[in-house]
Each structure stands twice: as C-alpha cells, then as structure tokens.
Amino acid sequence: MERNLTHIALFAALIAVLGLVPKIDLASGVPITAQSLGIMLCGTVLGAKRGTLAVLLFLGLTALGLPLLAGGRGGLGVFVSPTAGYLVGFPLAAFVAGLVVEKWRAPVGIAAFGGAFLGGLVVLHACGIAGMAVVLGKTLPEAAGLALPFFAGDLLKAVIAGAITQGLARVRPQALLSRG
C-alpha cells in the first residue's frame, strides 16, 4: 500500500515537472506541452488503476489552484477553458494506456507504445476535440482541425513512452507495476 502511494505521488510529480518544459501556444488556446508524455507513462508504468490515480491526484492539486499545468496555470478556471476536454481525458488516457500494457502480452515496449498511442492519442484527442468543440463553439471537424498540430508530437511521445517503459522493464522489472 505504501509503495503504491509513493508511486502515485511520484508520477503526479512527474506530470507537474513535465509542465516546466516550455509550452508552445497555439491559436486554439490549447498549448503543446510535454505533460501528455507523463500521462502516457502513468499508464504504461503504473498500470490502469494506479496510473489513473496519479493523474487524478495531479488534477486535484491543479483544481486546488497549484500552478502545475504548463505555463504555470492552475485553478478551477482551466476546467472551463479550451483545454478542458484534454484535462478530462488525462485520467481516461492513463487508464487505457495502462490497461493495454496489462492485458496485451506483446513485448513490453510494443505494448507500451500501443497503450500510449491508444490512450495518449486516440482517447486523449477524442476528449480534447470534443472539449474544444464545446468551449470554442466549433463543429467537431473544425475542432479536429485545431487538434492536428498535436498529432506528430504526440506520436513521438508515444514512441518515447514505449522506449522508457521498455528500458525500465529491462533495468528494474519490479518497478514496472503495469506488468506485475
């Protein structure tokens, strides 16, 4: 139990630290950040349940006003901004990424890439596009067009998440809770 809590807290902190990487602001109001890599890693390393809990801890701290999102943003206002759909999608993305790694018995690097892709691209962008459509008053195709600049970078992040997860499995297999 104590080990689980420690991992959850450490991965919530990882997401926050990735928010320190300078963001790239887009016209849609949704910045390109490194934090989605942290979301992917929560799932691929911690598994569906613990990864989701780490993301929920991060979002709870953000809602309380801690400036943990890229660019020092925090507070309840971010949950009604153009990024709202992505924030709602964060725990779902971590859950899906973790579930794929837990259930798919492919080599861990491949399973982690698959989970990061499915959770961090498909699920996260589905939520983000829906959120942008609602908040910005756009149609779904218009909102999807606004999300296009994210896809190449997020594909790269999925590759990185797969490689990090595979490397962790090789050097510290007991730390890979998604396969435990």
Side-chain angles (χ1 to χ4, degrees):
M1 172 90 162
E2 185 177 311
R3 181 175 154 202
N4 287 336
L5 292 174
T6 302
H7 281 102
I8 289 167
L10 284 172
F11 274 76
L14 172 67
I15 301 168
V17 167
L18 288 170
L20 297 174
V21 175
K23 64 182 177 132
I24 301 169
D25 288 311
L26 300 178
S28 65
V30 179
I32 295 176
T33 75
Q35 287 181 304
S36 55
L37 174 60
I39 302 302
M40 294 174 194
L41 287 169
C42 282
T44 62
V45 174
L46 297 181
K49 180 181 168 187
R50 287 179 286 259
T52 300
L53 289 172
V55 174
L56 289 173
L57 173 59
F58 170 79
L59 290 175
L61 294 170
T62 300
L64 288 173
L66 293 175
L68 301 179
L69 291 173
R73 297 170 301 129
L76 293 176
V78 298
F79 293 94
V80 293
S81 72
T83 63
Y86 288 97
L87 297 176
V88 168
F90 277 5
L92 299 172
F95 181 83
V96 169
L99 191 64
V100 168
V101 176
E102 289 172 4
K103 302 294 183 190
W104 189 18
R105 289 296 149 201
V108 70
I110 293 169
F113 167 75
F117 180 86
L118 190 59
L121 268 83
V122 177
V123 170
L124 186 57
H125 284 291
C127 295
I129 289 167
M132 281 196 295
V134 169
V135 173
L136 298 175
K138 303 282 187 189
T139 66
L140 284 175
E142 289 171 333
L146 293 172
L148 280 176
F150 296 102
F151 294 151
D154 286 345
L155 180 59
L156 178 61
K157 291 175 207 169
V159 169
I160 292 168
I164 290 172
T165 304
Q166 180 177 344
L168 184 61
R170 197 176 8 228
V171 298
R172 285 200 54 146
Q174 70 278 15
L176 192 65
L177 303 180
S178 58
R179 285 282 172 112

